[in-house]
Amino acid sequence: MNERRFDKDELRIGMFVMLDLPWLSHPFLTNSFKIRNQHQINILRQLDLETIRVDLDRSDPFWAQDQSDSPAADALADEAGGQAFTSKLWSEKHTRIQQLKERRARLNQCAKCYLQKANLARSIMSHLRSAPAQAAEEAVELVGGMVDELTEDPETTVQLVNLKHRDENSYNHAVNVSALALVLGREFDLDQAQLRLLGMGALFHDLGHLKIPSQILMKKGPLTEAERRFYQQHPRYGAEIARQIGTLPAGVIEIIVKHHEHMDGSGFPEGLSARDLGLLTRILTVVNRYDNLCNGFGSERDLSPHQAISRMYSKERQWYDPKVLTTFITHLGVYPPGTVVRLNDGRIAVVTSINTEDLLKPNVLVYSEEIPAEEALILNLIEEEIGIRESLKISELTQAQIEYLNLSDKLSYYFQGQRHGRVR
């Protein structure tokens, strides 16, 4: 870093300054930023600093030509305007702090809701053999609750937490896929009956795993050819179990048996193609693959949300209904919430929500040693004119960064709300 200290009266527009002060002792959103107007200079001159560090490499090359003592600068820096500007900065800063508190509250509530859903799924699976009618009834209750909650909360629609469990199991995957499928289904204006079918199919889609040995399901490396052929029968096994239950609708069984089929005929177990796959199955195929890539058991697992989306779009696009995949990406984002990223300026952040105006510039919560975690900064990358350099895996972070960004065994999905319209 090409760094140099300047007296406060030497500050000019275009300099990139770095403040050696606690975050709450000044009104600026960050401790490091480029000076953009005379009001900022006036505030900087009032701070309890003798000199201010400036990163010359990140400063505008023309800053030295700026004349802050010009008549235009004097007019801009009138006292009344300066006070209003300072008040605006403090107001925005406190608003950001409040947004963070509200986000944390939502995450906590979401965590409780998610655990309830996972426990219900566990109960349902445990009753499948001994009390299939009871299991089906509990499934209707679980899915019905999820449909109602999604309908009542069109802005956030679904939040899933604790996806990176130390004791990963199929219950978490079932809840993840159910919620993702319901949200995506809602974007296609499915009615309540269709949503319930979709949710039930999503909940039971991996029913056939009950007949697959755990050493195959949990294997970290690639499957042998024999293991792969055995595993590829699980949709058939799941449909057989579903029929034995006797109370699951035909539409649910269809989703179970076809959820690994692809539009181009390359899926399994039957190698079906587009003409054989209904919309509900097409939705389930996309969300199931996404969650498997992020949180699955096999060799293709533990991708970041961005890496999963990128893989599905760039390498597997022919597998999916193009409208379903596009809608999924549009509402989840190129950098889905929960993605850890490195910004162009080197800072580490986690995506909190997408910007529909520019999917490459979401809103992010930034890691900073200078700002307390409970007051962490949320930035709109469109407003800040900052881009994302790369996505990161949580395993690439330090423990301090994981705890600060609230990523300890946690990952969140947020979807855009109803105001952005539906797919017709």
Side-chain angles (χ1 to χ4, degrees):
M1 181 186 299
N2 186 10
E3 179 185 314
R4 178 180 155 193
R5 286 191 172 273
F6 286 81
D7 291 333
K8 289 187 284 188
D9 60 2
E10 297 178 300
L11 296 177
R12 297 291 185 270
I13 295 171
M15 286 183 171
F16 190 94
V17 296
M18 297 172 288
L19 306 180
D20 300 314
L21 286 172
W23 186 62
L24 285 176
S25 65
H26 62 78
F28 301 107
L29 282 179
T30 63
N31 278 22
S32 303
F33 59 92
K34 185 180 293 184
I35 299 174
R36 300 192 181 278
N37 56 57
Q38 187 65 31
H39 286 316
Q40 291 177 319
I41 292 177
N42 291 347
I43 295 172
L44 289 167
R45 287 174 176 170
Q46 296 171 18
L47 298 180
D48 187 21
L49 290 170
E50 292 297 325
T51 60
I52 292 180
R53 289 187 297 134
V54 174
D55 184 344
L56 299 179
D57 290 335
R58 296 165 71 181
S59 298
D60 291 338
F62 54 80
W63 66 264
Q65 301 172 16
D66 176 61
Q67 299 295 319
S68 62
D69 296 327
S70 67
D74 289 339
L76 184 65
D78 66 275
E79 184 175 352
Q83 290 177 349
F85 183 80
T86 303
S87 297
K88 180 181 178 182
L89 290 182
W90 276 117
S91 176
E92 184 175 357
K93 193 165 191 172
H94 289 308
T95 296
R96 297 293 180 95
I97 293 173
Q98 184 60 33
Q99 288 174 345
L100 179 63
K101 291 179 179 178
E102 292 172 357
R103 175 181 180 270
R104 289 185 184 278
R106 289 197 305 271
L107 287 176
N108 289 335
Q109 182 60 35
C110 175
K112 294 177 184 178
C113 181
Y114 178 83
L115 290 175
Q116 290 173 353
K117 298 293 186 288
N119 288 334
L120 271 175
R122 185 190 302 270
S123 173
I124 290 167
M125 298 305 174
S126 69
H127 293 153
L128 276 174
R129 297 290 193 185
S130 60
Q134 180 183 346
E137 184 178 334
E138 291 174 342
V140 170
E141 178 186 349
L142 171 58
V143 172
M146 296 180 76
V147 170
D148 292 341
E149 289 167 12
L150 296 179
T151 302
E152 292 172 1
D153 187 5
E155 294 302 320
T156 306
T157 63
V158 72
Q159 304 171 40
L160 297 182
V161 243
N162 294 329
L163 304 188
K164 295 285 186 182
H165 289 269
R166 293 184 179 90
D167 59 339
E168 289 180 282
N169 55 58
S170 58
Y171 315 124
N172 306 123
H173 176 61
V175 175
N176 294 352
V177 174
S178 297
L180 291 170
L182 289 172
V183 170
L184 190 52
R186 194 173 56 81
E187 295 303 327
F188 282 87
D189 270 339
L190 298 184
D191 60 29
Q192 292 289 306
Q194 290 175 307
L195 285 174
R196 290 176 188 274
L197 273 181
L198 177 59
M200 291 281 284
L203 185 65
F204 289 122
H205 75 279
D206 274 338
L207 207 51
H209 281 188
L210 293 173
K211 291 190 175 183
I212 305 297
S214 60
Q215 58 265 36
I216 294 180
L217 291 177
M218 304 293 289
K219 188 173 183 180
K220 303 297 184 182
L223 300 179
T224 65
E225 182 60 25
E227 290 171 335
R228 185 183 63 81
R229 287 198 299 268
F230 191 7
Y231 173 78
Q232 288 182 345
Q233 295 306 306
H234 82 262
R236 282 199 183 104
Y237 298 151
E240 291 172 4
I241 296 172
R243 293 188 187 100
Q244 292 170 5
I245 293 173
T247 57
L248 294 180
V252 172
I253 297 174
E254 180 178 348
I255 292 173
I256 293 172
V257 77
K258 295 182 179 180
H259 73 275
H260 276 295
E261 301 289 356
H262 297 155
M263 297 288 285
D264 65 352
S266 65
F268 61 85
E270 298 290 347
L272 304 177
S273 57
R275 65 179 178 275
D276 303 304
L277 306 177
L279 177 59
L280 302 189
T281 300
R282 297 180 185 200
I283 290 172
L284 198 285
T285 300
V286 169
V287 299
N288 178 56
R289 179 58 170 167
Y290 175 80
D291 194 64
N292 275 331
L293 288 174
C294 291
N295 304 295
F297 299 112
S299 58
E300 294 178 325
R301 65 192 299 272
D302 200 28
L303 298 185
S304 75
H306 171 67
Q307 291 169 333
I309 287 288
S310 297
R311 180 188 180 101
M312 292 174 68
Y313 188 78
S314 63
K315 298 182 179 180
E316 304 172 352
R317 196 183 331 174
Q318 69 277 9
W319 293 359
Y320 314 112
D321 181 307
K323 183 177 288 188
V324 173
L325 181 61
T326 300
T327 303
F328 185 66
I329 294 174
T330 299
H331 289 83
L332 195 59
V334 175
Y335 294 97
T339 303
V340 181
V341 297
R342 192 190 311 277
L343 304 179
N344 285 341
D345 59 12
R347 286 181 291 177
I348 303 296
V350 61
V351 176
T352 59
S353 59
I354 71 170
N355 280 317
T356 53
E357 295 82 4
D358 188 342
L359 295 180
L360 295 176
K361 292 191 174 183
N363 299 306
V364 300
L365 187 150
V366 181
Y367 170 76
S368 173
E369 295 178 347
E370 304 162 334
I371 302 175
E374 61 272 14
E375 297 161 354
L377 185 64
I378 295 179
L379 295 180
N380 181 333
L381 296 187
I382 294 178
E383 294 177 356
E384 301 297 326
E385 299 180 351
I386 299 174
I388 292 174
R389 183 188 304 172
E390 60 182 338
S391 69
L392 303 171
K393 293 183 178 180
I394 294 178
S395 58
E396 298 179 70
L397 305 184
T398 66
Q399 189 59 36
Q401 290 169 333
I402 291 173
E403 292 175 0
Y404 186 100
L405 297 174
N406 199 30
L407 295 170
S408 182
D409 291 34
K410 293 181 181 178
L411 181 64
S412 305
Y413 294 146
Y414 293 80
F415 283 78
Q416 292 306 102
Q418 205 165 19
R419 65 184 183 277
H420 298 302
R422 293 284 180 273
V423 178
R424 303 296 179 182

